[in-house]
Amino acid sequence: MTDLLYSEAETDLRAAVRSLLTARADPAALVAGRAESGAPYDTELWKALAAEVGAAGLLVPEKLGGQGASHREAAVVLEELGRSVAPAPFLTSSVIATETLLALDTETAEVAELLGALATGRRTAVVAVPLAASSEGRLPWDAERTGGVADAVNADVFLVLRPDGLYAVESSQVTVEPQIALDLTRPLAAVTTGAGGSRLADAATGETAVRRGLLAGAGLLASEQLGVAEWCLEETVRHTRERHQFNRPIGSFQALKHRMAQLWLEVVSARAAARAAADALATGSAEAALLVSVAQAYCSRVAVHAAEECVQLHAGIGMTWEHPAHLYLKRAKSAEIALGTPGRHKETLAELVGLRAP
């Protein structure tokens, strides 16, 4: 049976992550400084999140230097990262790359060593595929140059899928060209890998591992989208309580009440979908792929809708660069096409449940 409730450990983890992000990753400060700098990452924030909180090693077994937790705990961290739109390589390194490595032979010295380094946050890794790649789509087997790779600028290791296997390539062996991205808090780059690196697995095993990493990433991205939607709803409710027009809070007008009530229902439903996907991944459920597609198809739309409502119901101030609402809208829109579009996930869902197109 799927458990949608948060455990005590998950609640404590949320409190620790939220406290850290509140102190070091305030969205208003992000707008004022790092977002436009071209280098949005705060290395001290990542060290604190990865090492002090232990978030980077949540999916890594204790025997390999990690926390031995599950996708449920990782989902909680992503909810909080979504609420703060904090620039951190958690999704790409601690989820997708880590899950890819866990699908390999972890008894191999090189795989075990790399997992241990990722678990402590000393190193970060990315799978050299576009952010838009999905677990069911085509993978860039033979592309020497791959564009749209998220978090590549600061990555230490690249996991590269080639016709003869999966390779770990050091950053010194690749060329990384930053690209202009809609979401300033999740930078993209084109990666040219060449022919170097250490072979971790054969081609078939490597492809299976990469697809497993992308599936986990898509499932937990839904929790980040949930966090974006929650912040947008809460901030909109707060603003409409404080903003007065005609000598009364604008939130008291029935039309706005209806819009926010509808959004609340969507957010609650998104939470159920995201939690179901995280629980399915954590338990290794046979329905994991189905629940991931449900979560992505639904949570993507809710995050975008919540961000759009946040901008619109803030009126003039919501349209300004100084207010952080635009960061949430851009994160929601970029996440909508990340790891498979809603349309792609609906097609996958239809195939899994045997629905044929007319």
Side-chain angles (χ1 to χ4, degrees), residues 67-120:
Q67 306 301 318
S70 74
H71 301 80
R72 291 174 58 95
E73 288 78 11
V76 169
V77 174
L78 278 165
E79 281 184 42
E80 294 305 311
L81 289 173
R83 289 178 64 95
S84 66
V85 289
F90 183 81
L91 177 67
T92 49
S93 181
S94 303
V95 175
I96 299 175
T98 296
E99 187 79 4
T100 298
L101 291 170
L102 288 171
L104 306 177
D105 182 4
T106 56
E107 299 297 323
T108 304
E110 189 165 5
V111 173
E113 181 181 354
L114 183 52
L115 279 170
L118 298 184
T120 59

Side-chain angles (χ1 to χ4, degrees), residues 231-243 249-251 260 314 317 323-324:
W231 184 92
C232 290
L233 175 59
E234 292 173 12
E235 176 63 18
T236 302
V237 170
R238 182 201 64 76
H239 175 75
T240 55
R241 281 177 175 170
E242 297 177 357
R243 179 77 169 91
I250 61 174
M260 287 183 282
H314 274 75
I317 191 175
H323 194 280

Side-chain angles (χ1 to χ4, degrees), residues 27-166:
L30 184 61
V31 172
R34 307 189 67 86
E36 292 184 87
S37 68
Y41 289 131
D42 182 344
T43 55
E44 294 304 315
L45 170 64
W46 173 243
K47 287 179 182 178
L49 182 65
E52 295 176 18
V53 177
L58 287 173
L59 298 182
V60 180
E62 292 184 34
K63 67 178 183 179
L64 296 175
Q67 306 301 318
S70 74
H71 301 80
R72 291 174 58 95
E73 288 78 11
V76 169
V77 174
L78 278 165
E79 281 184 42
E80 294 305 311
L81 289 173
R83 289 178 64 95
S84 66
V85 289
F90 183 81
L91 177 67
T92 49
S93 181
S94 303
V95 175
I96 299 175
T98 296
E99 187 79 4
T100 298
L101 291 170
L102 288 171
L104 306 177
D105 182 4
T106 56
E107 299 297 323
T108 304
E110 189 165 5
V111 173
E113 181 181 354
L114 183 52
L115 279 170
L118 298 184
T120 59
R122 290 183 288 109
R123 311 194 82 194
T124 59
V126 299
V127 180
V129 298
L131 181 60
S134 72
S135 61
E136 300 295 327
R138 180 184 177 277
L139 298 178
W141 282 86
D142 52 1
E144 290 188 3
R145 184 179 187 274
T146 303
V149 180
D151 297 332
V153 175
N154 287 349
D156 300 303
V157 180
F158 293 83
L159 302 181
V160 182
L161 190 60
R162 295 175 179 149
D164 63 332
L166 180 66

Side-chain angles (χ1 to χ4, degrees), residues 243-250 252-253:
R243 179 77 169 91
H244 282 65
Q245 193 173 43
F246 304 113
N247 204 31
R248 60 186 288 192
I250 61 174
S252 65
F253 295 115

Side-chain angles (χ1 to χ4, degrees), residues 305-325:
H305 183 214
E308 289 174 342
E309 290 288 79
C310 182
V311 171
Q312 291 178 17
L313 296 183
H314 274 75
I317 191 175
M319 301 291 182
T320 64
W321 195 262
E322 288 74 16
H323 194 280

